[in-house]
Amino acid sequence: MDGTVLVADDDRTIRTVLTQALTRAGCKVHATSSLTTLMRWVGEGKGDVVISDVMMPDGNGLEMLPKIQSDRPGLPVIVISAQNTIMTAIKAEEADAYDYLPKPFDLPELMKRTAKALAAKRVAPGVQKGEAQERPEELPLIGRSEVMQTLYRLIARVMNTDLPLLITGESGTGKSLIAQAIHDFSDRRTLPFVHADAASLIELEGPARLLAQAKGGTLVIDELADLPEEAQARLVRMMDSPGDHAPRFIASSQKNLEAAMEAGELRQDLYYRICGTALHVPALRERVEDIPLLSEHFLIRAENEGAPHRVLSEGAREVLRHFAWPGNVRQLENAVRRLALTARGEEITQADAAAVLGPQTGPEPAVAGLSNEKLSESVGRHLQRYFDLHGDMLPPPGLYMRLLREVETPLIEIALAATGGNQAKCAELLGINRNTLRKKITDLDIEVTRRRKLM
């Protein structure tokens, strides 16, 4: 890489690691813990790329982006943040950030994106974005997991398009919240947000009344495949002739819509009209690393509503992480609220959590009834789901090495556990040299923390 990178982060460790990594890659680096200093450097014309945290001692990095774009049009800004909610991703997208990575971030991935930013030939935007209206500080769409961060980025990208949108996912995953968030943060936020049901679609004047109510806002159809045939036919005609103030159509479904079409439960013409863009919301068991974060959020919410102050013990966290959660985030919220009221002390114990959740402790299999499935077939399904999450866009570059890292760490951890921590036996089991195993344990920080993940 060739260029000058400006780094702004109040964490000295992150500044040191980024400075060393970027310098080794051939860049010049200026690092600071102050947004004031960063803005002075930008004003002086320094830097080809900016890497900035959001929450800084003297301000908010996202709020500085419009001024950076005004002072230095086309200067790429990569935002890194520990505020891992949909709000951060949307604000970064609105502020025209070049890229956004949640903390803890993957250092090689950040280096690749920095290299891409340095190579990019960006021109000044011709249209400035308007002032955003006041919005809620927080939404209950939280997650540090890769699948949720990918979903946040996709939401931010499709938020202001006019294409119909299909949101899929199991019951309780938050499909309705996402539909509401897309409306509330879009350019249509000052216009109506209307839900359509089967009865209103079947009525003779129902479609016209719905379009009049929506008035160019957002029209949501819940559980698309459950609509009767007549309602589906009217919805097709409505989408074909929406009038002068066409709303944005958003549909949701927890069913497999391809299977519903084959079974004759869903019209093909309706499916192809509504699926302009698709978002899949992962089940909670697919992002168990988010369970502690969500649980803490729900405990704070319960406390704000009058429940006693509670904290989760590590034992309680383990019980929550290993539960199947067939009801997903909605079930988790209900369970945490019960714990906030029924726990015997300020710290919620493992016994408290087990008492509320009952005897089910093991996670559900990824796909029931597929015990004879080959490993390659299982991996193929998960990879296809990962690609499907991105809709009509490709995943971020560097997929091959990223997937290898995702597989390598649990493989070594499980092999070490199976051999009782004996590295010689583990190396033999894996079929690699013992020195190679030691290096991988060190590089991946097995059983401690991953060194490539920076808080």
Side-chain angles (χ1 to χ4, degrees), residues 32-45:
T32 180
S33 61
S34 165
L35 280 178
T36 302
T37 302
L38 172 66
M39 295 307 295
R40 176 168 56 81
W41 287 342
V42 170
E44 292 172 353

Side-chain angles (χ1 to χ4, degrees), residues 60-77:
N60 184 303
L62 285 175
E63 293 174 358
M64 296 295 105
L65 261 64
K67 179 161 178 56
I68 291 176
Q69 292 298 328
S70 175
D71 293 349
R72 297 275 301 281
L75 177 65
V77 179

Side-chain angles (χ1 to χ4, degrees), residues 51-293:
I51 300 176
S52 177
D53 193 7
V54 174
M55 302 308 295
M56 298 282 282
D58 56 346
N60 184 303
L62 285 175
E63 293 174 358
M64 296 295 105
L65 261 64
K67 179 161 178 56
I68 291 176
Q69 292 298 328
S70 175
D71 293 349
R72 297 275 301 281
L75 177 65
V77 179
I78 299 175
V79 174
I80 54 177
S81 174
Q83 306 297 312
N84 300 314
T85 69
I86 188 176
M87 189 76 173
T88 310
I90 289 175
K91 282 187 174 180
E93 180 77 12
E94 284 187 335
D96 202 26
Y98 178 79
D99 213 335
Y100 157 70
L101 278 84
K103 290 182 178 179
F105 57 80
D106 187 72
L107 182 57
E109 182 66 24
L110 177 57
M111 295 294 287
K112 289 177 184 177
R113 298 190 188 197
T114 304
K116 183 179 178 182
L118 285 168
K121 303 297 183 185
R122 304 187 71 197
V123 296
V127 179
Q128 297 294 326
K129 297 188 179 183
E131 290 294 321
Q133 294 189 358
E134 275 195 35
R135 298 175 182 178
E137 287 297 319
E138 184 179 16
L139 289 170
L141 293 169
I142 301 170
R144 294 192 179 102
S145 60
E146 183 177 350
V147 289
M148 288 305 290
Q149 292 299 321
T150 298
L151 179 61
Y152 295 161
R153 293 190 189 96
L154 288 172
I155 290 172
R157 290 171 186 170
V158 306
M159 187 172 55
N160 284 316
T161 67
D162 294 327
L163 288 173
L165 177 64
L166 175 63
I167 305 173
T168 61
E170 296 179 8
S171 175
T173 52
K175 300 186 295 296
S176 297
L177 288 174
I178 288 174
Q180 184 73 58
I182 288 173
H183 173 81
D184 290 346
F185 288 86
S186 74
D187 294 340
R188 299 176 187 261
R189 56 185 170 270
T190 60
L191 299 173
F193 182 79
V194 178
H195 279 269
D197 56 24
S200 59
L201 287 168
I202 292 175
E203 291 177 12
L204 184 61
E205 300 298 326
R209 185 163 54 250
L210 286 171
L211 290 172
Q213 290 172 350
K215 293 180 182 177
T218 302
L219 186 63
V220 179
I221 306 98
D222 294 319
E223 295 306 325
L224 187 69
D226 291 342
L227 293 177
E229 166 67 24
E230 185 178 355
Q232 292 186 29
R234 285 179 174 269
L235 183 55
V236 168
R237 291 194 288 273
M238 185 195 305
M239 295 182 71
D240 286 344
S241 303
D244 295 333
H245 301 286
R248 185 178 193 180
F249 292 90
I250 298 180
S252 70
S253 178
Q254 58 181 296
K255 289 186 177 180
N256 183 320
L257 295 185
E258 288 82 359
M261 284 193 295
E262 291 180 5
E265 299 172 358
L266 180 67
R267 294 174 58 113
Q268 288 191 2
D269 54 356
L270 175 56
Y271 173 77
Y272 292 123
R273 280 168 174 78
I274 203 68
C275 196
T277 305
L279 297 175
H280 178 73
V281 189
L284 190 55
R285 64 180 175 275
E286 298 175 58
R287 55 182 190 111
V288 292
E289 59 266 48
D290 291 332
I291 290 176
L293 186 68

